[in-house]
Amino acid sequence: FVFANAGLLSNVAAVSSGAPVFHPGAVRASVGGGFSVVAAGAIRLEATYAVPVLSAPQDQHKSFQLGVGMTLN
């Protein structure tokens, strides 16, 4: 699978003080791909690789991730 992801985090204390919630410099975005396999019934194993498209110098980058998930139908 492939994906594109964008979002932002905001400081709750800043929001409650009336500071602007959104500013364009706060947006982070990445694109990537990965694969997912069913391990046993509803359990799946995933591996993803992402490349940051929009980031700030203080951001930490973790391009490769392994994960375990559960699909509930």
mmCIF file of all heavy atoms in Angstrom, residues 31-70:
data_model
loop_
_atom_site.group_PDB
_atom_site.id
_atom_site.type_symbol
_atom_site.label_atom_id
_atom_site.label_comp_id
_atom_site.label_asym_id
_atom_site.label_seq_id
_atom_site.Cartn_x
_atom_site.Cartn_y
_atom_site.Cartn_z
ATOM 1 N N VAL A 31 5.007 11.051 2.884
ATOM 2 C CA VAL A 31 4.498 10.063 1.933
ATOM 3 C C VAL A 31 5.286 8.788 2.146
ATOM 4 O O VAL A 31 6.425 8.817 2.623
ATOM 5 C CB VAL A 31 4.619 10.527 0.463
ATOM 6 C CG1 VAL A 31 3.745 11.737 0.198
ATOM 7 C CG2 VAL A 31 6.057 10.830 0.097
ATOM 8 N N GLY A 32 4.688 7.664 1.814
ATOM 9 C CA GLY A 32 5.401 6.417 2.010
ATOM 10 C C GLY A 32 4.631 5.224 1.495
ATOM 11 O O GLY A 32 3.631 5.354 0.786
ATOM 12 N N GLY A 33 5.117 4.071 1.883
ATOM 13 C CA GLY A 33 4.490 2.828 1.466
ATOM 14 C C GLY A 33 4.804 1.739 2.464
ATOM 15 O O GLY A 33 5.597 1.921 3.379
ATOM 16 N N GLY A 34 4.183 0.609 2.267
ATOM 17 C CA GLY A 34 4.421 -0.491 3.177
ATOM 18 C C GLY A 34 3.667 -1.727 2.758
ATOM 19 O O GLY A 34 3.067 -1.771 1.683
ATOM 20 N N PHE A 35 3.692 -2.706 3.629
ATOM 21 C CA PHE A 35 2.915 -3.920 3.374
ATOM 22 C C PHE A 35 2.345 -4.428 4.688
ATOM 23 O O PHE A 35 2.844 -4.135 5.769
ATOM 24 C CB PHE A 35 3.730 -4.985 2.643
ATOM 25 C CG PHE A 35 4.856 -5.570 3.456
ATOM 26 C CD1 PHE A 35 4.648 -6.692 4.236
ATOM 27 C CD2 PHE A 35 6.101 -4.998 3.445
ATOM 28 C CE1 PHE A 35 5.677 -7.243 4.991
ATOM 29 C CE2 PHE A 35 7.140 -5.521 4.199
ATOM 30 C CZ PHE A 35 6.926 -6.648 4.972
ATOM 31 N N SER A 36 1.267 -5.174 4.550
ATOM 32 C CA SER A 36 0.551 -5.702 5.697
ATOM 33 C C SER A 36 0.158 -7.136 5.382
ATOM 34 O O SER A 36 -0.316 -7.421 4.278
ATOM 35 C CB SER A 36 -0.696 -4.847 5.943
ATOM 36 O OG SER A 36 -1.464 -5.359 6.989
ATOM 37 N N VAL A 37 0.381 -8.039 6.333
ATOM 38 C CA VAL A 37 0.011 -9.444 6.134
ATOM 39 C C VAL A 37 -0.795 -9.920 7.333
ATOM 40 O O VAL A 37 -0.558 -9.504 8.465
ATOM 41 C CB VAL A 37 1.251 -10.360 5.942
ATOM 42 C CG1 VAL A 37 1.982 -10.020 4.668
ATOM 43 C CG2 VAL A 37 2.179 -10.279 7.129
ATOM 44 N N VAL A 38 -1.762 -10.788 7.064
ATOM 45 C CA VAL A 38 -2.560 -11.381 8.134
ATOM 46 C C VAL A 38 -1.733 -12.486 8.773
ATOM 47 O O VAL A 38 -1.241 -13.381 8.090
ATOM 48 C CB VAL A 38 -3.880 -11.935 7.585
ATOM 49 C CG1 VAL A 38 -4.648 -12.653 8.681
ATOM 50 C CG2 VAL A 38 -4.715 -10.818 6.987
ATOM 51 N N ALA A 39 -1.539 -12.399 10.080
ATOM 52 C CA ALA A 39 -0.725 -13.388 10.796
ATOM 53 C C ALA A 39 -1.582 -14.526 11.330
ATOM 54 O O ALA A 39 -1.221 -15.682 11.194
ATOM 55 C CB ALA A 39 0.037 -12.720 11.927
ATOM 56 N N ALA A 40 -2.706 -14.196 11.937
ATOM 57 C CA ALA A 40 -3.583 -15.219 12.503
ATOM 58 C C ALA A 40 -4.955 -14.599 12.746
ATOM 59 O O ALA A 40 -5.105 -13.774 13.642
ATOM 60 C CB ALA A 40 -3.015 -15.761 13.804
ATOM 61 N N GLY A 41 -5.927 -14.966 11.946
ATOM 62 C CA GLY A 41 -7.277 -14.431 12.123
ATOM 63 C C GLY A 41 -7.334 -12.929 11.957
ATOM 64 O O GLY A 41 -7.118 -12.410 10.876
ATOM 65 N N ALA A 42 -7.590 -12.211 13.044
ATOM 66 C CA ALA A 42 -7.732 -10.759 12.994
ATOM 67 C C ALA A 42 -6.401 -10.023 13.200
ATOM 68 O O ALA A 42 -6.354 -8.807 13.092
ATOM 69 C CB ALA A 42 -8.730 -10.305 14.053
ATOM 70 N N ILE A 43 -5.319 -10.726 13.498
ATOM 71 C CA ILE A 43 -4.024 -10.106 13.773
ATOM 72 C C ILE A 43 -3.265 -9.888 12.466
ATOM 73 O O ILE A 43 -3.185 -10.769 11.619
ATOM 74 C CB ILE A 43 -3.171 -10.984 14.716
ATOM 75 C CG1 ILE A 43 -3.945 -11.312 15.988
ATOM 76 C CG2 ILE A 43 -1.830 -10.328 15.021
ATOM 77 C CD1 ILE A 43 -4.306 -10.104 16.815
ATOM 78 N N ARG A 44 -2.698 -8.689 12.310
ATOM 79 C CA ARG A 44 -1.899 -8.405 11.125
ATOM 80 C C ARG A 44 -0.551 -7.809 11.515
ATOM 81 O O ARG A 44 -0.427 -7.152 12.552
ATOM 82 C CB ARG A 44 -2.643 -7.486 10.164
ATOM 83 C CG ARG A 44 -2.863 -6.099 10.669
ATOM 84 C CD ARG A 44 -3.641 -5.231 9.664
ATOM 85 N NE ARG A 44 -3.688 -3.877 10.132
ATOM 86 C CZ ARG A 44 -4.523 -3.413 11.062
ATOM 87 N NH1 ARG A 44 -5.417 -4.224 11.597
ATOM 88 N NH2 ARG A 44 -4.463 -2.169 11.464
ATOM 89 N N LEU A 45 0.445 -8.072 10.705
ATOM 90 C CA LEU A 45 1.784 -7.506 10.868
ATOM 91 C C LEU A 45 1.996 -6.496 9.757
ATOM 92 O O LEU A 45 1.638 -6.745 8.604
ATOM 93 C CB LEU A 45 2.843 -8.608 10.790
ATOM 94 C CG LEU A 45 2.691 -9.749 11.789
ATOM 95 C CD1 LEU A 45 3.732 -10.831 11.508
ATOM 96 C CD2 LEU A 45 2.837 -9.237 13.206
ATOM 97 N N GLU A 46 2.591 -5.350 10.112
ATOM 98 C CA GLU A 46 2.776 -4.277 9.143
ATOM 99 C C GLU A 46 4.216 -3.767 9.177
ATOM 100 O O GLU A 46 4.856 -3.757 10.228
ATOM 101 C CB GLU A 46 1.856 -3.092 9.454
ATOM 102 C CG GLU A 46 0.398 -3.438 9.446
ATOM 103 C CD GLU A 46 -0.481 -2.263 9.849
ATOM 104 O OE1 GLU A 46 0.001 -1.330 10.520
ATOM 105 O OE2 GLU A 46 -1.655 -2.290 9.482
ATOM 106 N N ALA A 47 4.690 -3.339 8.032
ATOM 107 C CA ALA A 47 5.972 -2.646 7.919
ATOM 108 C C ALA A 47 5.747 -1.458 6.996
ATOM 109 O O ALA A 47 5.122 -1.587 5.941
ATOM 110 C CB ALA A 47 7.045 -3.562 7.349
ATOM 111 N N THR A 48 6.209 -0.278 7.417
ATOM 112 C CA THR A 48 6.039 0.925 6.600
ATOM 113 C C THR A 48 7.343 1.702 6.510
ATOM 114 O O THR A 48 8.198 1.642 7.404
ATOM 115 C CB THR A 48 4.950 1.861 7.175
ATOM 116 O OG1 THR A 48 5.322 2.260 8.494
ATOM 117 C CG2 THR A 48 3.592 1.187 7.204
ATOM 118 N N TYR A 49 7.476 2.447 5.421
ATOM 119 C CA TYR A 49 8.603 3.353 5.225
ATOM 120 C C TYR A 49 8.034 4.684 4.761
ATOM 121 O O TYR A 49 7.237 4.726 3.816
ATOM 122 C CB TYR A 49 9.586 2.799 4.190
ATOM 123 C CG TYR A 49 10.795 3.679 4.035
ATOM 124 C CD1 TYR A 49 11.834 3.613 4.947
ATOM 125 C CD2 TYR A 49 10.885 4.598 3.014
ATOM 126 C CE1 TYR A 49 12.944 4.432 4.835
ATOM 127 C CE2 TYR A 49 11.989 5.426 2.884
ATOM 128 C CZ TYR A 49 13.019 5.343 3.796
ATOM 129 O OH TYR A 49 14.107 6.167 3.690
ATOM 130 N N ALA A 50 8.407 5.764 5.418
ATOM 131 C CA ALA A 50 7.879 7.089 5.096
ATOM 132 C C ALA A 50 9.010 8.086 4.884
ATOM 133 O O ALA A 50 10.081 7.965 5.476
ATOM 134 C CB ALA A 50 6.974 7.582 6.215
ATOM 135 N N VAL A 51 8.741 9.075 4.038
ATOM 136 C CA VAL A 51 9.680 10.157 3.764
ATOM 137 C C VAL A 51 8.991 11.476 4.108
ATOM 138 O O VAL A 51 7.919 11.765 3.563
ATOM 139 C CB VAL A 51 10.105 10.159 2.280
ATOM 140 C CG1 VAL A 51 11.021 11.328 1.981
ATOM 141 C CG2 VAL A 51 10.757 8.837 1.915
ATOM 142 N N PRO A 52 9.554 12.272 5.021
ATOM 143 C CA PRO A 52 8.938 13.558 5.356
ATOM 144 C C PRO A 52 8.962 14.501 4.150
ATOM 145 O O PRO A 52 9.968 14.616 3.457
ATOM 146 C CB PRO A 52 9.820 14.111 6.468
ATOM 147 C CG PRO A 52 10.634 12.968 6.950
ATOM 148 C CD PRO A 52 10.740 12.009 5.822
ATOM 149 N N VAL A 53 7.835 15.162 3.913
ATOM 150 C CA VAL A 53 7.732 16.154 2.846
ATOM 151 C C VAL A 53 7.763 17.551 3.446
ATOM 152 O O VAL A 53 8.418 18.446 2.920
ATOM 153 C CB VAL A 53 6.437 15.937 2.034
ATOM 154 C CG1 VAL A 53 6.268 16.999 0.972
ATOM 155 C CG2 VAL A 53 6.428 14.552 1.415
ATOM 156 N N LEU A 54 7.058 17.735 4.547
ATOM 157 C CA LEU A 54 7.079 18.995 5.294
ATOM 158 C C LEU A 54 7.485 18.681 6.725
ATOM 159 O O LEU A 54 6.824 17.884 7.399
ATOM 160 C CB LEU A 54 5.695 19.657 5.305
ATOM 161 C CG LEU A 54 5.162 20.189 3.987
ATOM 162 C CD1 LEU A 54 3.716 20.665 4.166
ATOM 163 C CD2 LEU A 54 6.022 21.321 3.482
ATOM 164 N N SER A 55 8.563 19.269 7.193
ATOM 165 C CA SER A 55 9.009 19.055 8.574
ATOM 166 C C SER A 55 9.756 20.287 9.050
ATOM 167 O O SER A 55 10.050 21.184 8.271
ATOM 168 C CB SER A 55 9.895 17.809 8.675
ATOM 169 O OG SER A 55 11.077 17.983 7.941
ATOM 170 N N ALA A 56 10.044 20.323 10.326
ATOM 171 C CA ALA A 56 10.810 21.415 10.929
ATOM 172 C C ALA A 56 12.137 20.847 11.420
ATOM 173 O O ALA A 56 12.252 19.640 11.669
ATOM 174 C CB ALA A 56 10.026 22.031 12.080
ATOM 175 N N PRO A 57 13.143 21.693 11.576
ATOM 176 C CA PRO A 57 14.462 21.205 12.009
ATOM 177 C C PRO A 57 14.443 20.446 13.339
ATOM 178 O O PRO A 57 15.225 19.525 13.525
ATOM 179 C CB PRO A 57 15.295 22.488 12.132
ATOM 180 C CG PRO A 57 14.620 23.477 11.250
ATOM 181 C CD PRO A 57 13.152 23.131 11.280
ATOM 182 N N GLN A 58 13.547 20.786 14.249
ATOM 183 C CA GLN A 58 13.520 20.116 15.557
ATOM 184 C C GLN A 58 12.748 18.799 15.535
ATOM 185 O O GLN A 58 12.738 18.075 16.525
ATOM 186 C CB GLN A 58 12.927 21.048 16.623
ATOM 187 C CG GLN A 58 11.441 21.309 16.483
ATOM 188 C CD GLN A 58 11.091 22.475 15.588
ATOM 189 O OE1 GLN A 58 11.900 22.950 14.803
ATOM 190 N NE2 GLN A 58 9.851 22.953 15.699
ATOM 191 N N ASP A 59 12.116 18.440 14.431
ATOM 192 C CA ASP A 59 11.350 17.195 14.349
ATOM 193 C C ASP A 59 12.261 15.974 14.364
ATOM 194 O O ASP A 59 13.341 15.987 13.789
ATOM 195 C CB ASP A 59 10.508 17.158 13.071
ATOM 196 C CG ASP A 59 9.387 18.176 13.073
ATOM 197 O OD1 ASP A 59 9.100 18.756 14.134
ATOM 198 O OD2 ASP A 59 8.811 18.397 11.998
ATOM 199 N N GLN A 60 11.789 14.914 15.001
ATOM 200 C CA GLN A 60 12.482 13.631 14.972
ATOM 201 C C GLN A 60 11.888 12.801 13.850
ATOM 202 O O GLN A 60 10.666 12.753 13.701
ATOM 203 C CB GLN A 60 12.312 12.888 16.301
ATOM 204 C CG GLN A 60 12.958 13.584 17.459
ATOM 205 C CD GLN A 60 12.765 12.804 18.754
ATOM 206 O OE1 GLN A 60 12.179 11.730 18.775
ATOM 207 N NE2 GLN A 60 13.263 13.365 19.845
ATOM 208 N N HIS A 61 12.739 12.164 13.047
ATOM 209 C CA HIS A 61 12.268 11.376 11.910
ATOM 210 C C HIS A 61 12.471 9.893 12.188
ATOM 211 O O HIS A 61 13.549 9.472 12.579
ATOM 212 C CB HIS A 61 13.026 11.749 10.644
ATOM 213 C CG HIS A 61 12.808 13.166 10.225
ATOM 214 N ND1 HIS A 61 13.271 13.664 9.043
ATOM 215 C CD2 HIS A 61 12.180 14.209 10.814
ATOM 216 C CE1 HIS A 61 12.944 14.924 8.926
ATOM 217 N NE2 HIS A 61 12.277 15.284 10.000
ATOM 218 N N LYS A 62 11.422 9.120 12.008
ATOM 219 C CA LYS A 62 11.476 7.659 12.098
ATOM 220 C C LYS A 62 10.895 7.130 10.795
ATOM 221 O O LYS A 62 9.686 6.982 10.658
ATOM 222 C CB LYS A 62 10.667 7.146 13.285
ATOM 223 C CG LYS A 62 11.236 7.556 14.621
ATOM 224 C CD LYS A 62 10.408 6.977 15.747
ATOM 225 C CE LYS A 62 10.977 7.393 17.082
ATOM 226 N NZ LYS A 62 10.189 6.874 18.194
ATOM 227 N N SER A 63 11.747 6.874 9.835
ATOM 228 C CA SER A 63 11.267 6.502 8.509
ATOM 229 C C SER A 63 10.724 5.078 8.445
ATOM 230 O O SER A 63 9.745 4.823 7.757
ATOM 231 C CB SER A 63 12.380 6.670 7.475
ATOM 232 O OG SER A 63 12.703 8.036 7.347
ATOM 233 N N PHE A 64 11.337 4.132 9.130
ATOM 234 C CA PHE A 64 10.934 2.731 9.056
ATOM 235 C C PHE A 64 10.242 2.322 10.351
ATOM 236 O O PHE A 64 10.739 2.614 11.437
ATOM 237 C CB PHE A 64 12.154 1.844 8.806
ATOM 238 C CG PHE A 64 11.815 0.393 8.660
ATOM 239 C CD1 PHE A 64 11.166 -0.071 7.522
ATOM 240 C CD2 PHE A 64 12.129 -0.503 9.651
ATOM 241 C CE1 PHE A 64 10.843 -1.412 7.391
ATOM 242 C CE2 PHE A 64 11.813 -1.851 9.536
ATOM 243 C CZ PHE A 64 11.167 -2.306 8.393
ATOM 244 N N GLN A 65 9.078 1.659 10.221
ATOM 245 C CA GLN A 65 8.358 1.205 11.410
ATOM 246 C C GLN A 65 7.796 -0.194 11.181
ATOM 247 O O GLN A 65 7.390 -0.532 10.070
ATOM 248 C CB GLN A 65 7.187 2.128 11.742
ATOM 249 C CG GLN A 65 7.616 3.459 12.304
ATOM 250 C CD GLN A 65 6.413 4.260 12.798
ATOM 251 O OE1 GLN A 65 5.347 4.229 12.199
ATOM 252 N NE2 GLN A 65 6.595 4.964 13.894
ATOM 253 N N LEU A 66 7.790 -0.975 12.250
ATOM 254 C CA LEU A 66 7.117 -2.270 12.279
ATOM 255 C C LEU A 66 5.948 -2.171 13.234
ATOM 256 O O LEU A 66 6.039 -1.464 14.247
ATOM 257 C CB LEU A 66 8.068 -3.365 12.760
ATOM 258 C CG LEU A 66 9.261 -3.677 11.864
ATOM 259 C CD1 LEU A 66 10.196 -4.669 12.547
ATOM 260 C CD2 LEU A 66 8.799 -4.215 10.523
ATOM 261 N N GLY A 67 4.860 -2.846 12.920
ATOM 262 C CA GLY A 67 3.708 -2.762 13.796
ATOM 263 C C GLY A 67 2.870 -4.021 13.799
ATOM 264 O O GLY A 67 2.982 -4.865 12.910
ATOM 265 N N VAL A 68 2.040 -4.130 14.814
ATOM 266 C CA VAL A 68 1.075 -5.216 14.940
ATOM 267 C C VAL A 68 -0.279 -4.568 15.107
ATOM 268 O O VAL A 68 -0.431 -3.606 15.861
ATOM 269 C CB VAL A 68 1.379 -6.104 16.171
ATOM 270 C CG1 VAL A 68 0.323 -7.167 16.338
ATOM 271 C CG2 VAL A 68 2.762 -6.708 16.065
ATOM 272 N N GLY A 69 -1.273 -5.049 14.373
ATOM 273 C CA GLY A 69 -2.611 -4.482 14.458
ATOM 274 C C GLY A 69 -3.670 -5.556 14.545
ATOM 275 O O GLY A 69 -3.392 -6.756 14.403
ATOM 276 N N MET A 70 -4.892 -5.105 14.789
ATOM 277 C CA MET A 70 -6.012 -6.037 14.866
ATOM 278 C C MET A 70 -7.154 -5.460 14.030
ATOM 279 O O MET A 70 -7.453 -4.275 14.114
ATOM 280 C CB MET A 70 -6.473 -6.182 16.319
ATOM 281 C CG MET A 70 -7.645 -7.117 16.485
ATOM 282 S SD MET A 70 -8.169 -7.258 18.198
ATOM 283 C CE MET A 70 -6.927 -8.371 18.799
#
